[in-house]
Amino acid sequence: MHAGDFYDPLRLWSTLMGAQGWHPAVPPPSAFEATWCSWGYGFDITPAQMLGALPKLKDLGLAWATLDDRWFDAYGDWNPRPDTFPGTSMKDMVDRFHRAGVKVQLWWLPIGAEIANGKGESHRYRQSDVVRDHPEWLVLDPSGRPATMVRSLAVLDPSLPEVRAYFRDMAVRFIRDFGFDGFKMDNIFAIPPCHNPLHRHASPEESTRAAAEVYREILAATHALKPEAVIQICPCGTLPSADWLPWMDQGVTADPVGAAQVRRRIKILKALLGPASAVSGDHVELSAMTREGHPDWFETGEDFASTLGAGGVVSTKFTWPPTGVVPPSGPVDLTPAREALWRKWLGLYDRKRLSSGTFLNLYTLGVDAPEGYAVAKDGVMNYAFYAQGPWRGEVELRGLRPGTYRVRDYAEGRDLGSVTAAPGKAPRLPAAFTDHLLLEVAP
Ligand SMILES: [Zn+2]
């Protein structure tokens, strides 16, 4: 039995796992820096587009750029695409980001490999070189055909030491030879059991169980080269797995559908990974979306407050210079109006950095109204309250030691006077706000 929402039981579960030697990685300080991602440009991103956005990243104080999906020729081989990243353009691009002081993260999906006639979202699959050279590495289904994982990819069996070495060496190549500073490992789900007779498995589940070993070795090899490297693992809209949770530096809200999911998933991951863990709120554009009148989700999110106030790391995928094109997934151009908003919130994020504070479980989701969050940092309590639209009433400022405090709405720069906390009695503050109220409460 437990009180409150999911936080306490998940935290207890994590602590009990810790007693058995399960410990999430301690994130480097770089895991708390704001991120820009190339996904606004979609599958055919080029070095010119990446470098075109670079001055605006510098201008807005974004410390990271992620080169997202489809920079590569074939899953499994992971060579730069000759049509978009020819010759040495990949390394040259990373070097130019570094000269500007911006770190670069690379998107990839270990374990999977293309086989001919497979179909992906982005391109028609061919036989990858790795499957041509090592057909004996494939996970097979009970009928002896290649088993498939996400994106209809064939699976290289991670229970084989040579397969693990292949992906570890791949990570080393990305970090050491291309110069990348970390990874966004995406579409990370379970992989199928293996019935390949060549592997002499004691149990078909050996392949499924060994998957996490790949992520563990990638994390170790990456940090051996760059201690400040950041690896994010994204399970794309599904729950995280205990298998791979310890083998990353940064959790992510994993393709949230709207701001409520952003906040709740930050709370889930803080419970699992610890109150000082790094959790990305994912692209802010995902914080508002609709399907009405659109073939798929249409994203219009600008809700940085949900990530910032709940203690997440902010992220965005705008295009710059503006392209004038609105993709079917929603606007991504950084128009002058959006730029002013982005500048305000990225500035606030950098000044507050609540993501690296201590997340406190003081409010209960589904019970307390408005929805509340608290993060302690540098002797200051930071509260965030959320409602859909306008809200009026009293908010309770929980967790304060007895004393008198100054209250400030740091998002709007408003002084809200002072409150006094008596022993065992949280002060209440009359409040009227729309969507969010972000408070700093200092002695
Ligand atoms: Zn196998």
Side-chain angles (χ1 to χ4, degrees), residues 4 6-7 47 89 109 119 138 167 214 279 337 341 356 413 418 431 439:
F6 54 78
Y7 186 91
S89 60
L109 198 180
K119 53 178 195 291
L138 286 174
F167 286 114
V214 172
V279 180
L341 203 62
S356 62
S418 64
L439 304 176

Side-chain angles (χ1 to χ4, degrees), residues 175-212:
I175 300 289
R176 191 187 57 200
D177 301 347
F178 289 149
F180 284 99
D181 305 287
F183 303 125
K184 173 181 179 179
M185 300 202 296
D186 204 8
N187 289 267
I188 304 301
F189 308 107
I191 68 155
C194 182
H195 299 266
N196 190 331
L198 294 174
H199 302 168
R200 300 176 179 283
H201 290 302
S203 154
E205 289 176 6
E206 280 183 351
S207 55
T208 307
R209 282 200 293 266

Side-chain angles (χ1 to χ4, degrees), residues 395-408:
V395 295
E396 197 170 76
L397 305 179
R398 299 177 184 167
L400 295 170
R401 286 202 207 98
T404 300
Y405 296 83
R406 185 126 213 115
V407 183
R408 215 172 140 268

Side-chain angles (χ1 to χ4, degrees), residues 204-223:
E205 289 176 6
E206 280 183 351
S207 55
T208 307
R209 282 200 293 266
E213 283 298 298
V214 172
Y215 312 126
R216 185 182 67 77
E217 293 192 20
I218 288 171
L219 183 78
T222 300
H223 279 275

